[in-house]
Amino acid sequence: MKFLLTPVALMLISLFTFLAIPSFKTNQQKTFSLSVETNNLKNSNGSVVFALYNREDAFPDENYKKYYKKITGKIENKAASVVFKDLSAGKYAVNILHDEDSNGKIKKGLILPKEGVGFSNFQSIGLSNKPSFKKASFEVNADKSIAVKMIYF
């Protein structure tokens, strides 16, 4: 016994397939890039660690363990820059370290760092101007570029 599909049945199957396949596609979320630069380093020794944060409870992070993404940038002419890619829209903050001895850690004196540090949206830091995610954060909802000032003590 042969089974034959009628033209109407073929059309219905085709229509169902045409309508059903798009619902199986994953909705891809649009992502963005964030370019970060610093150009006021006191020398060209070592490297610059760029840490990106997306949570208030992770920032600041002097041990660089709670970051969302981290990239080490090469220094050229007392400047360094990196690009964070594939970022979802949202709030982010950046912390940078001029890691002069390239050990991935902040070299500290008694209280203050001996190597340069920087935070997005900060021109200086001190007892009355401590870094926080709220102060350092910014919105990313398109490709964006920021400059972070390096602070030395």
Side-chain angles (χ1 to χ4, degrees):
M1 181 164 146
K2 279 187 170 180
F3 180 74
L4 295 175
L5 292 176
T6 65
V8 172
L10 281 171
M11 188 183 297
L12 287 174
I13 291 171
S14 297
L15 181 61
F16 173 76
T17 304
F18 176 75
L19 294 174
I21 287 179
S23 67
F24 293 116
K25 289 183 181 177
T26 58
N27 288 336
Q28 286 197 327
Q29 187 177 11
K30 184 152 175 62
T31 60
F32 308 102
S33 294
L34 172 66
S35 299
V36 183
E37 70 174 9
T38 187
N39 56 19
N40 58 333
L41 302 174
K42 75 175 183 181
N43 59 51
S44 292
N45 299 339
S47 58
V48 177
V49 177
F50 294 81
L52 181 67
Y53 297 86
N54 64 350
R55 298 184 349 249
E56 190 165 335
D57 65 331
F59 187 90
D61 174 25
E62 83 177 45
N63 296 314
Y64 294 94
K65 294 188 179 189
K66 299 177 184 178
Y67 58 84
Y68 173 62
K69 291 186 177 196
K70 181 173 82 168
I71 303 173
T72 300
K74 184 178 176 184
I75 299 172
E76 293 181 12
N77 299 320
K78 297 182 181 181
S81 63
V82 298
V83 178
F84 292 98
K85 297 179 181 179
D86 300 321
L87 300 178
S88 299
K91 276 192 171 188
Y92 295 92
V94 173
N95 170 218
I96 60 175
L97 165 67
H98 180 187
D99 191 10
E100 294 181 70
D101 57 8
S102 296
N103 70 351
K105 299 176 185 176
I106 298 174
K107 184 188 279 185
K108 290 173 67 172
L110 194 56
I111 297 173
L112 300 173
K114 289 186 173 184
E115 296 174 306
V117 295
F119 302 91
S120 46
N121 298 332
F122 278 79
Q123 296 299 310
S124 65
I125 56 175
L127 293 175
S128 63
N129 192 28
K130 294 179 182 177
S132 69
F133 186 82
K134 184 176 182 177
K135 290 181 189 175
S137 64
F138 52 88
E139 287 288 332
V140 172
N141 50 24
D143 291 342
K144 187 175 187 102
S145 294
I146 65 168
V148 177
K149 182 179 181 194
M150 189 64 67
I151 302 164
Y152 294 93
F153 295 96

